[in-house]
Amino acid sequence: MFESLTDKLGQALRNLRGVGKLSDENMADALKEVRTALLSADVHFKVAREFTERVQAQCVGQEVTKSVTPGQQVVKIIHDELVRLLGEGTTQLSGARPLKIMMVGLHGSGKTTSTAKLGKLLKKRGYRPLVAACDVYRPAAIDQLEILARQEELGFYADRNSKDVPAIGVAALTAAQTATADCIIFDTAGRLQIDADLIEEVKKLRARVQPDEVLLVVDGALGQEAVNVAKTFHDALSLTGLILTKLDGDARGGAALSIKSITGVPIKFVGTGEKTGDFEVFHPDRLASRILGMGDVVSLVEKA
Amino acid sequence: MFGLFKKFKEGFSKTVSSIAAKTRGLFGGRKIDAASLGELEEALYTADFGVETTTEILAEIKKAYGKDKDLQGRQAAEIGAAVLRRVLAGSEGTLEGAALRGEGTPSTLNALRGERSAPELADGAAEKKPIVIAMIGVNGSGKTTTAAKLGWKLKQDGRTVTLAACDTFRAAAVEQLKSWAQRLDLEIVASHTGADSAAVAFDGWQAAKARERDYLIIDTAGRLHTKSNLMEELAKIRRVLQKHDPSAPQHRWLVVDGSLGSNSIEQAKVFHQHFGLTGLVVTKLDGTSRGGALVGIYRQLKVPIYFLGLGEQPEDLQPFSIENYAKAVFGLDS
Ligand SMILES: Nc1nc2c(ncn2[C@@H]2O[C@H](COP(=O)(O)OP(=O)(O)OP(=O)(O)O)[C@@H](O)[C@H]2O)c(=O)[nH]1
Ligand SMILES: Nc1nc2c(ncn2[C@@H]2O[C@H](COP(=O)(O)OP(=O)(O)OP(=O)(O)O)[C@@H](O)[C@H]2O)c(=O)[nH]1
Ligand SMILES: [Mg+2]
Ligand SMILES: [Mg+2]
């Protein structure tokens, strides 16, 4: 596993200790280890390859710092590059008022829970949020959102007699206006990126309500499919951000790197538990360390 | 057999076409070369097979290629499928048995109980009713939906079923299962959010027993394997059931989201340590993911795979077949 990446890199680069520079040749084995490590963190195959190539370019020619092992130094270079990539873009939400946010994603990724979490967070920031139930398929999806809305004292809109999702969205805007809400979050049904009908539905919803933010909610443990998912949702909906959920587990979250590389869309929030308070603004350095399965090495190298 | 494969393949068609598209050139009539080996490696990784299985399949194909430079794509695919068959040998959960395909032979009940010899059936069945199947797993994996689908499948097959809504934690989890029960006309025992989940399991068992139901299907709350207090709650459900029947729950199934990557192996390991898994259900394989993580889980734990979830409708729960899976993954037709 990846805990040993530093060791493995250390081994691969052993004969480099105290010698001079990192070069193409002495890096080859080390980069193979890096690639394997990224793959076992669920980073997409192609993304892992591109990333490794870029890191190689950065490593070559660098002097090996005397006080750390070359393995640690390479890890630091990788880590910094990861932080840079993951951290591109802003975690800020649009400043529009009313602020309209749409949540989309695969089944069970955490959209409904994150809708309530985000509502709670924005309420704390001074908004008057209303959450709109646009999942007309999953049994009790509307109840779930309603219970959470009541619990967090958020405005709530649903139409239990309608299956017309775009129309529900529009009605929710009117309801929000009446209730003087200045932030509307649309919870949508889970859908596969290859389900053309449901993608069409959510595109129509987007066209009708004109959201300022379209956030893709992704399970932090998602595998290689992340790339297909991100590509299709982004093409169909022009995503403005990502929410990475269930990071209270021990998944390494490599899918986030894949999605970031494919779409360029910023990661804005992370979910860290089932409770509505378990929600944080995204920190790229934490996720980078997580993907690499370590933390100390970086600070160690930093001090050196 | 062909009919079953066809049905499986339909459900799995997007999966098949997506991997087959990637490897068409490779698995067609074309000869293998360095470039196509690279493509193959990519196809295997992107199926979430992970480092171990990918390396193994690649090594075998490379070995064959070393012996025969004229190796064709189709042969490479056969080798890949053979590796999967070998790695997955013994992984078919016996629920796949005849009754669930509508033939209703007694051996299904036997198989369900993990007793394979037919003669014990008649007595055992009366004595050990209800057979308890507990659905466990991380958040959002598909437990509630699978509980409903399975209840429906068993009912179609002429069995009597009670559902127990033991997720008393998540908002509207009880309503979700109730709504399924109503839609599929299944019997359900439920309490309210915040109730003691073990108490609901206890009530469910008593109701199923009193009404002489064949099965009790227990839906539990999603929990990440990293949370030991929540794992303890599962143990409590088990202890309470065992007051009634020391062998309950006879089936302890981990419901795994098939679109997840390597973490599902870690999940399975920890759930297995805490709860002694007897089976797996892999869901959401109607997407483009190939569910390769199931291979990794089986390699590690040797827990049989009973069903694949191929959609959100009741009929979208299909028995796992090694043959169909291996063929589907490599785009081989029967
Ligand atoms: N541990 C943990 N669980 C989470 C987190 N976010 C959501 N969940 C849980 O994940 C499960 C699915 O969450 P939902 O909000 O229902 O997911 P969804 O995307 O709305 O699901 P569908 O509407 O069915 O597509 C629930 O059990 C949530 O409690 C998180 O950050 N950590
Ligand atoms: N496409 C597809 N969706 C599925 C499948 N199985 C379940 N789902 C969907 O996945 C989402 C989560 O399913 P649930 O059954 O609520 O999952 P759960 O494990 O009970 O979730 P928690 O109780 O919150 O932990 C729902 O939207 C289901 O409709 C499947 O095989 N294919
Ligand atoms: Mg939802
Ligand atoms: Mg559930």
Side-chain angles (χ1 to χ4, degrees), chain A residues 26-256:
Chain A
N26 57 34
M27 284 291 295
D29 286 346
L31 286 169
K32 230 166 106 188
E33 297 294 350
V34 172
R35 196 189 73 134
T36 304
L38 292 173
L39 286 171
S40 40
D42 298 319
V43 175
H44 188 265
F45 184 84
K46 275 196 181 132
V47 174
R49 191 174 55 203
E50 285 162 17
F51 183 81
T52 324
E53 283 164 7
R54 197 163 38 227
V55 166
Q56 177 167 28
Q58 286 180 25
C59 286
V60 171
Q62 290 221 14
E63 296 285 341
V64 176
T65 310
K66 294 286 182 293
S67 51
V68 295
T69 68
Q72 285 167 339
Q73 187 162 348
V74 173
V75 168
K76 161 104 168 85
I77 295 170
I78 295 165
H79 183 271
D80 290 352
E81 178 61 12
L82 260 182
V83 172
R84 195 190 62 74
L85 247 177
L86 292 170
E88 271 174 0
T90 175
T91 56
Q92 298 282 314
L93 294 172
S94 153
R97 295 264 177 150
L99 172 60
K100 293 173 282 182
I101 305 173
M102 209 167 108
M103 310 289 260
V104 298
L106 295 178
H107 305 94
S109 59
K111 295 173 293 300
T112 306
T113 311
S114 300
T115 298
K117 287 175 172 181
L118 187 56
K120 181 186 176 115
L121 182 95
L122 290 175
K123 193 176 162 191
K124 233 190 274 168
R125 290 184 185 172
Y127 285 86
R128 283 171 55 86
L130 175 140
V131 296
C134 296
D135 178 355
V136 298
Y137 305 105
R138 169 171 165 170
I142 299 176
D143 299 327
Q144 185 186 357
L145 188 65
E146 184 172 22
I147 290 167
L148 293 171
R150 207 180 306 135
Q151 179 193 310
E152 299 307 327
E153 300 181 343
L154 306 171
F156 171 75
Y157 177 82
D159 181 351
R160 290 172 190 272
N161 298 315
S162 171
K163 297 269 177 213
D164 184 344
V165 170
I168 295 172
V170 172
L173 289 179
T174 313
Q177 211 166 23
T178 312
T180 65
D182 56 5
C183 159
I184 306 108
I185 312 176
F186 302 89
D187 177 31
T188 66
R191 68 198 76 221
L192 291 170
Q193 82 283 6
I194 52 172
D195 189 329
D197 293 346
L198 285 184
I199 292 293
E200 196 49 39
E201 178 200 82
V202 78
K203 273 170 87 166
K204 281 193 187 129
L205 175 65
R206 188 194 203 295
R208 294 287 295 279
V209 306
Q210 298 279 322
D212 309 291
E213 298 277 350
V214 183
L215 304 179
L216 180 68
V217 182
V218 178
D219 191 316
L222 191 62
Q224 297 278 319
E225 192 180 9
V227 159
N228 297 324
V229 173
K231 222 186 274 168
T232 317
F233 273 98
H234 192 43
D235 288 350
L237 299 168
S238 305
L239 303 172
T240 63
L242 297 179
I243 296 179
L244 203 59
T245 64
K246 309 182 197 175
L247 287 189
D248 42 328
D250 58 2
R252 301 250 299 280

Side-chain angles (χ1 to χ4, degrees), chain B residues 123-145:
Chain B
D123 308 340
E127 214 174 282
K128 286 190 181 164
K129 271 188 201 173
I131 303 203
V132 184
I133 305 176
M135 302 287 170
I136 64 177
V138 300
N139 306 89
S141 64
K143 296 172 292 300
T144 306
T145 310

Side-chain angles (χ1 to χ4, degrees), chain A residues 35 40 42 44-46 107 138-139 144 192-194 221-225 228 246 248-251 274, chain B residues 14 41-42 45-46 48 139 169-172 176 179 224-225 227 259-263 284 286 288-289 312:
Chain A
R35 196 189 73 134
S40 40
D42 298 319
H44 188 265
F45 184 84
K46 275 196 181 132
H107 305 94
R138 169 171 165 170
Q144 185 186 357
L192 291 170
Q193 82 283 6
I194 52 172
L222 191 62
Q224 297 278 319
E225 192 180 9
N228 297 324
K246 309 182 197 175
D248 42 328
D250 58 2
E274 295 183 71
Chain B
K14 292 127 191 169
E41 182 183 23
E42 175 175 345
Y45 272 114
T46 53
D48 287 312
N139 306 89
F169 179 75
R170 210 207 64 216
Q176 186 186 0
S179 154
L224 291 179
H225 52 292
K227 304 200 170 160
S259 62
L260 299 191
S262 58
N263 190 248
K284 309 186 196 174
D286 43 327
T288 49
S289 66
E312 296 183 81

Side-chain angles (χ1 to χ4, degrees), chain B residues 88-324:
Chain B
L88 288 171
S91 65
E92 282 171 17
T94 41
L95 247 187
E96 197 207 348
L100 281 165
R101 291 203 300 269
E103 292 153 35
T105 66
S107 64
T108 307
L109 274 181
N110 251 5
L112 261 174
R113 209 174 300 112
E115 296 165 5
R116 282 152 210 254
S117 54
E120 293 164 38
L121 173 73
D123 308 340
E127 214 174 282
K128 286 190 181 164
K129 271 188 201 173
I131 303 203
V132 184
I133 305 176
M135 302 287 170
I136 64 177
V138 300
N139 306 89
S141 64
K143 296 172 292 300
T144 306
T145 310
T146 302
K149 286 173 175 174
L150 180 65
W152 184 78
K153 204 171 192 71
L154 288 167
K155 196 179 142 201
Q156 294 289 100
D157 196 42
R159 312 291 167 209
T160 52
V161 182
T162 301
L163 301 175
C166 295
D167 180 354
T168 53
F169 179 75
R170 210 207 64 216
V174 174
E175 287 81 354
Q176 186 186 0
L177 192 65
K178 271 188 180 164
S179 154
W180 271 113
Q182 194 181 12
R183 177 173 154 197
L184 302 176
D185 194 22
L186 294 167
E187 195 172 271
I188 181 168
V189 172
S191 182
H192 53 86
T193 304
D196 177 9
S197 57
V200 180
F202 193 85
D203 291 349
W205 196 93
Q206 275 184 320
K209 181 73 183 172
R211 299 167 192 163
E212 298 184 10
R213 301 300 180 229
D214 297 322
Y215 294 99
L216 173 67
I217 302 176
I218 294 187
D219 180 30
T220 67
R223 66 200 76 224
L224 291 179
H225 52 292
T226 47
K227 304 200 170 160
S228 53
N229 56 328
L230 296 181
M231 297 308 267
E232 176 49 34
E233 189 196 65
L234 278 182
K236 186 177 166 199
I237 292 180
R238 187 172 182 180
R239 275 199 304 277
V240 162
L241 285 167
Q242 287 177 340
K243 282 185 194 155
H244 287 306
D245 175 356
S247 62
Q250 289 84 349
H251 293 272
R252 300 174 294 277
W253 289 1
L254 184 71
V255 180
V256 185
D257 181 337
S259 62
L260 299 191
S262 58
N263 190 248
S264 50
I265 299 174
E266 201 53 38
Q267 294 171 11
K269 270 196 214 157
V270 179
F271 275 105
H272 194 44
Q273 275 162 17
H274 281 85
F275 209 60
L277 300 179
T278 65
L280 296 176
V281 176
V282 184
T283 62
K284 309 186 196 174
L285 287 182
D286 43 327
T288 49
S289 66
R290 269 78 75 187
L294 69 86
V295 180
I297 296 177
Y298 186 73
R299 290 188 89 121
Q300 295 265 336
L301 303 182
K302 296 284 185 274
V303 169
I305 302 152
Y306 280 81
F307 290 102
L308 302 185
L310 296 169
E312 296 183 81
Q313 298 310 313
E315 62 276 13
D316 295 334
L317 187 70
Q318 294 204 19
F320 176 69
S321 147
I322 299 170
E323 192 52 33
N324 291 348

